[in-house]
Amino acid sequence: MQFSNLNLDYFSILPEIITALAGVILMLIDAFSKKAGRKLSPMFSLFALVATLASIIALWPRASYTASFAGMIVNDHLRLYFALVIVACGIIATLLASQFLDDEALPPGEFYALMMFATTGMLMMASAGDLVMVFLGLETSSIATYVMAGYRRTDLRANESSLKYFLLGSFSAAFLLYGMALTYGATGTTNIEGIRQILIAGKVIYPQMLLVGVAMMLVGFGFKIATAPFHLWTPDVYEGAPTLVTAILATGPKVAVFAAFLRVFAEGLGTPTAPAVGAQIYDNWINALAVMAAIGMTFGNIVALAQRNMKRMLAYSSIAHGGYTLIGFLTTEYAPVGFYMLTYALMSLGAFAIVQMLAREGDAKTEISDYAGIGFEVPNLSFPLAIFMLSMAGIPPMAGFMGKFYVFKSAWVSSPNLRWLVIVAIINSIISVYYYLYPIVVMFFRPPVSDFTKPRLSPMSQLALAITIIGTLYFGLFPNGALKVLQQKTPGAQQVAVQK
Amino acid sequence: MFELPIQQLIFLFVAAVAVFAAFNVILQRNPIYSALALIITMCALAGTFLMLEAQFVATMQVIVYAGAVMVLFVFVIMLLNVRTEEARQDRVKYLKLVAPLLFIALLGEVIFVARSVTTTAPPLATTGNEPAFGTVESIGEAMFSSYLFPFEATSVLILMAMVGSLVLARRRTMSEAETLGKLIEESGKPQLTPAEPVAKLEEKKEEIAA
């Protein structure tokens, strides 16, 4: 292969370059000055993430289907939009991290570096044009989050959570990799656009092998987005990990995996009109995902009803939200998934941030009963938490309502086969109102607990909270701006040549 | 029927060794024997790679996996001084019954795929002036042309894995030692064996769980 065919477009990987470099520099800051690192590291992380944000926006006019680095990197609107959400999650998490690390007296340097590397992996997932890149991005972000889950090393629950996440995560990665290998064997390429072309041309070498390969990839992705029946790890890991890390686990990686999932399934395997096995595969994965969405929503919501621990409840609620997102996924458009992920990320980060602040050192107070009567003691925390809970329940005018509405509407319009799912989802949303209202009732209408002291709030945490609250209300009231961005289609989607 | 080609015979032998050794890995009670069986599996896999004309991968399989990685495994097992797997009560008994069923389902899937694969695979597309398949040259060319970006991305992955393992395995910081110290003071026993803080932590965990 000639170098001129590779299209080494360094500008298209600028976001990944910035975050990876920032990770290395953060480690150097920590190595040379431990004292200054505590102040400098969060500032530098924020600076790097804002620079990444700027580079993504600068890439926007260049969005096209022309892949760079021999088909490894795709710079289209899907990638840019999801990268934006990922980096936004990273910024909010960084703002929250400094207080967490101070309160727990944990060493700061590696935490920020790991967060930067995790962000690099997530960005790679969003921009991957090849199964190899999807896997590398997934592993980079996963390994970083395994370590972050066990960052508080004296806490046995955190250790258990980290180990459980690591073992099950590796197991699911093996499934994903095996699926990719079989897909490669069946089609002769790992390039996602290449797979699509082969399906459309009807040139699949071994159709059965492709069926099994796709099924295994579905398992791998299903695990990472924590949808039922691959959700078993979620409650334990979310409960045991430090709350800030839980906030990171529940948002950034999930957004990124949905981006890669869309790329592989909605784009690569989204071939309803292809001859023979192409259409069969499309039908199969659509049906499988529909069932997964229905089980995920129902199971998540019903089990969440019985939870008395805030973090476990939010974990089951995130399984349910994964189910709602899958309904948007089934339209094979990226807009509903993207908008739902944006709203979900904002309200989840906000909710977990407040749980983190109320939990104190060592996550001691995460039972819902610990929140009794604090409503008017700390109105600056209880009212935002109420907003996030109502938003998750899907009550207007919060962003959660718009997210759900948009997903349900696109599914209802796009295909009559999805209408039953929308009905299941609406019933589920009604069930979920009960457990989202429960913490609010406890906070405002129960007699207060006696030993309650007001938690400290650093300016950076306040800023992060403000961003999530404003975002939750803004996208609930004025979603048009975000939706307009999402409905941009990369031009020339049809005339794409197979790379390689 | 009676004249099996020599390649097929070698393949059957190598494959049988690989499967037998892989079963041995999970059936052995002593972790050292498991690790040794894993080395045999790796070497047998190297044999299959060799038969697929992937000489470089076969060499790497022996040097890196059977050599370096497994030496590390054996070292760790010996340093940890694990002798035999302790017999302990399984918490969920029905899993013992479900696991073989799932294994059979997966095996069925593999057979389903394997049956569909014909031996007359389409030849690889070549332009004629490429280096021979499976050689160091062809792998080097792929690595630094089409797979350039994944190659670089892997370096980030490995760096991060290194940082991560250091974070989890480094010495206790002052604050962590203090946390442990506090727990020890609370227990009211100044003369502690190293195992006791952990027991104390477990108690605390149970309190939280209760």
Side-chain angles (χ1 to χ4, degrees), chain B residues 55-75:
Chain B
Q55 301 91 337
F56 182 71
V57 181
T59 322
M60 282 299 119
Q61 178 82 11
V62 174
I63 297 175
V64 176
Y65 282 89
V69 174
M70 288 317 297
V71 166
L72 200 69
F73 261 53
V74 174
F75 248 85

Side-chain angles (χ1 to χ4, degrees), chain A residues 1 3 6 8 13 16 20 24 27 69-70 72-73 104-107 110 114 117-118 120 124 132-133 136 139-140 143-144 147 150-151 153-154 156-157 160 175 178 182 190 205-206 208-209 212 216 500, chain B residues 106 109-110 112-113 116-118 120-122 141 144-151 153-154 156-157 159-161 163-173 175-177 179-180 182 198 201-202 205 208:
Chain A
M1 188 179 266
F3 272 101
L6 296 177
L8 298 178
I13 54 164
E16 283 87 351
V24 175
M27 286 193 299
F69 289 91
M72 295 294 161
I73 298 290
E104 306 271 344
L106 290 171
E110 294 91 350
L114 284 172
F117 288 130
T120 313
M124 286 200 287
V132 175
M133 284 312 299
L136 276 176
E139 278 304 280
T140 310
I143 293 177
V147 177
Y151 204 75
R153 293 185 308 155
T154 46
L156 282 178
R157 277 184 310 167
E160 184 203 340
F175 263 95
Y178 196 19
L182 289 177
T190 52
I205 309 168
Y206 302 120
Q208 287 93 331
M209 196 190 265
V212 176
M216 290 203 169
K500 287 198 176 181
Chain B
L106 201 62
E109 238 172 60
V110 172
F112 170 71
V113 171
S116 75
V117 176
T118 52
T120 52
E141 201 175 304
F144 291 103
S145 61
S146 19
Y147 292 95
L148 178 67
F149 189 67
F151 175 69
T154 313
V156 175
L157 173 66
L159 172 68
M160 198 219 30
V163 176
S165 53
L166 281 177
V167 166
L168 292 180
R170 71 176 158 217
R171 275 180 301 173
R172 287 201 183 103
T173 59
S175 62
E176 282 171 333
T179 317
L180 280 178
K182 256 184 229 161
V198 177
L201 272 168
E202 256 160 14
K205 187 190 160 195
I208 292 161

Side-chain angles (χ1 to χ4, degrees), chain A residues 220-242:
Chain A
F221 280 120
F223 176 91
K224 292 288 174 187
I225 56 171
T227 182
F230 311 112
H231 62 277
L232 286 167
W233 58 281
T234 324
D236 289 347
V237 171
Y238 279 21
E239 190 195 356

Side-chain angles (χ1 to χ4, degrees), chain A residues 60-72:
Chain A
W60 217 283
R62 292 165 55 105
S64 73
Y65 271 96
T66 317
S68 46
F69 289 91
M72 295 294 161

Side-chain angles (χ1 to χ4, degrees), chain B residues 8-22 41 44-45 47-48 51:
Chain B
Q8 233 157 339
L9 273 178
I10 297 175
F11 170 77
L12 283 177
F13 172 72
V14 170
V17 170
V19 172
F20 177 75
T41 318
L45 282 180
T48 49
M51 299 189 60

